[in-house]
Structures are given as C-alpha cells and as structure tokens.
Amino acid sequence: MSARLLLIDDDARLTAMVGDYLRQAGYEVEVAPSLAVGRERIAREPYDALVLDLMLPDGDGLELCRELRAAPRTRALPLLMLTARGEPMDRIVGLELGADDYLGKPFEPRELLARVKALLRRAAPQGMGDDVLRFGRLEVDEDGRQARLDGKPCELTGYQFDLLLVLARAPGRVLSRDQIMDALKGHALEAFDRSIDVHVSRIRAAIEDDPKLPRRILTVRGAGYVFAKKQDGEAV
C-alpha cells in the first residue's frame, strides 16, 4: 500500500509541482491550503507523513506542530517543515517543537523526496526481535524503535530515537557532533550542530525523569556527548 502524505502549503504552484513529483514516486498525496483545512483532514484521515509550511494565510505552522506533538494520536506522525524561513533560530524552534526534519525554500524536489523516504523509513515498524539495549530503568528497543523508562514508552520523534540509539550503542564513549552527524547520514538528511543540541535536550527530558540522579547523556565541553553506562544505584 502506498504511503499517504499530507502537504499543507498555500502556494498552489508549488503544491501542484511537488504533489505531481511525489505521486510519480508512488505516494498518495493530498494538499491542504491552510491550517484549518489541514487540521480537518488530519482529524478525519490517517496519514503516514506530513509536509508542513510555516507561513500560512490563517496562522503559523509552528502552532500546528505543537498541537500534533501534544496529541497521542499524532505524536509520532513523521513531520517535515517546508518553509522560506531559513534562519537557524527558526529551525531550532521547529525542532524543539518536535519536527523531524526541516527543508528551506527553494529546494530540489529530489531532495524533498529523499527526506520523505528517510522519514518513512525511520517510522516503519521493524521486526519483533529481542535486540534491546538495557541501562537500569531505561530500555532502548532497536527493533521496536522505542525507548522505555520503567517499561513505559518515552515520547520521542523518529529522529530523536535515532540519535539516542547512536549514543546508546557506544556507552561510555565520547562522540563528537561530527561523529553523531556522520552516524545519522542516510537517516536524517539535515543534521547540523545546533540541531544535535536541541534534540539531546528533548531526549533528556524524555528519559531523565529524576533530577536527583546524574544525567544519562553527559555533555563533554568542547568534545561532544557521552552516554553513561550506569547511574548511581544501578547494577553494572
């Protein structure tokens, strides 16, 4: 079955071009020209991924991103922001609100297609094996693509899970931002220094619920990040 995509953008010329290109690649594509129409369609229909413009006639796409990440039904919906806003702070805000990827206008349709493919690949369910990394209360389930704290799922986007997995696969080893970005190539096509910092902050909020305990992900000033093998009181 073809993946169903929703493109929310008021630029009719762009949506016609992008819609045709994605359909030729085998996807089902629906277009919403405003936030109101987008909200209505998301409430009514399930989608496999969302491509969201930030500057819309009836509001800011960031607000819709915030709403989607707050709702259980759409919390894990793969979301790519597509916008003319190119400032680093705009990207950081979008990532902080839960976007999985960010593509500025103008762009090449082939790059958008590659990013959509990467989003869908990360979101696809994997096998049900027992490839689980365990660190005390925290489990990182590679096959199930889920992090769990005391058995309860942590709220992470697909990109954030990939980043956590890179760190958890190398416990006790300091990884530079360049090494992390290299490890994420082919999964998240736009990783830059500040986005790594933003996502690490989001991951910490999800997997570190006790402020009295040392951090699970440590910042090594001037070097990068290290995933702690154990916290105080945990068995080796």
Side-chain angles (χ1 to χ4, degrees), residues 174-224:
V174 177
L175 298 180
S176 69
R177 290 173 178 80
D178 286 342
Q179 288 175 312
I180 293 171
M181 288 188 286
D182 285 343
L184 290 171
K185 283 181 179 176
H187 296 277
L189 297 181
E190 182 172 322
F192 49 96
D193 282 355
R194 283 295 288 129
S195 80
I196 297 293
D197 298 338
V198 169
H199 283 296
V200 166
S201 176
R202 302 282 292 192
I203 294 168
R204 282 172 171 160
I207 70 172
E208 300 175 3
D209 66 341
D210 188 344
K212 296 179 181 179
L213 291 176
R215 286 197 179 279
R216 177 66 71 181
I217 301 175
L218 307 174
T219 301
V220 181
R221 190 175 299 277

Side-chain angles (χ1 to χ4, degrees), residues 142-173:
E142 297 191 48
D143 286 345
R145 293 190 56 76
Q146 184 180 78
R148 295 182 290 271
L149 195 64
D150 293 331
K152 298 179 180 179
C154 300
E155 296 179 8
L156 297 173
T157 67
Y159 181 95
Q160 289 160 7
F161 178 82
D162 286 339
L163 176 51
L164 173 60
L165 187 57
V166 168
L167 295 169
R169 282 174 171 168
R173 176 185 168 195

Side-chain angles (χ1 to χ4, degrees), residues 24-229:
Q24 291 173 10
Y27 298 112
E28 295 181 25
V29 181
E30 292 187 19
V31 176
S34 66
L35 287 176
V37 175
R39 285 190 178 98
E40 179 184 350
R41 293 190 177 175
I42 292 170
R44 188 180 66 237
E45 301 287 343
Y47 292 96
D48 297 297
L50 172 64
V51 179
L52 173 65
D53 187 24
L54 296 191
M55 302 176 66
L56 291 156
D58 56 344
D60 194 321
L62 290 172
E63 182 59 34
L64 178 58
C65 180
R66 183 182 293 108
E67 293 172 13
L68 296 175
R69 291 306 183 235
R73 176 174 170 267
T74 55
R75 185 170 293 137
L77 175 67
L79 191 158
L80 184 149
M81 287 186 171
L82 183 67
T83 176
R85 296 179 181 176
E87 294 300 319
M89 186 53 64
D90 292 319
R91 301 184 182 197
I92 291 167
V93 171
L95 293 168
E96 286 180 333
L97 291 177
D100 294 289
D101 202 355
Y102 194 114
L103 181 60
K105 299 177 183 177
F107 60 90
E108 284 286 337
R110 288 177 297 178
E111 183 177 4
L112 175 62
L113 175 60
R115 289 171 183 266
V116 167
K117 286 181 177 180
L119 286 180
L120 293 171
R121 184 169 57 248
R122 295 202 305 271
Q126 306 297 316
M128 298 301 290
D130 190 35
D131 200 0
V132 179
L133 304 176
R134 294 180 173 85
F135 306 92
R137 302 166 58 216
L138 177 67
E139 296 180 342
V140 181
D141 185 346
E142 297 191 48
D143 286 345
R145 293 190 56 76
Q146 184 180 78
R148 295 182 290 271
L149 195 64
D150 293 331
K152 298 179 180 179
C154 300
E155 296 179 8
L156 297 173
T157 67
Y159 181 95
Q160 289 160 7
F161 178 82
D162 286 339
L163 176 51
L164 173 60
L165 187 57
V166 168
L167 295 169
R169 282 174 171 168
R173 176 185 168 195
V174 177
L175 298 180
S176 69
R177 290 173 178 80
D178 286 342
Q179 288 175 312
I180 293 171
M181 288 188 286
D182 285 343
L184 290 171
K185 283 181 179 176
H187 296 277
L189 297 181
E190 182 172 322
F192 49 96
D193 282 355
R194 283 295 288 129
S195 80
I196 297 293
D197 298 338
V198 169
H199 283 296
V200 166
S201 176
R202 302 282 292 192
I203 294 168
R204 282 172 171 160
I207 70 172
E208 300 175 3
D209 66 341
D210 188 344
K212 296 179 181 179
L213 291 176
R215 286 197 179 279
R216 177 66 71 181
I217 301 175
L218 307 174
T219 301
V220 181
R221 190 175 299 277
Y225 294 102
V226 59
F227 187 93
K229 293 182 179 180

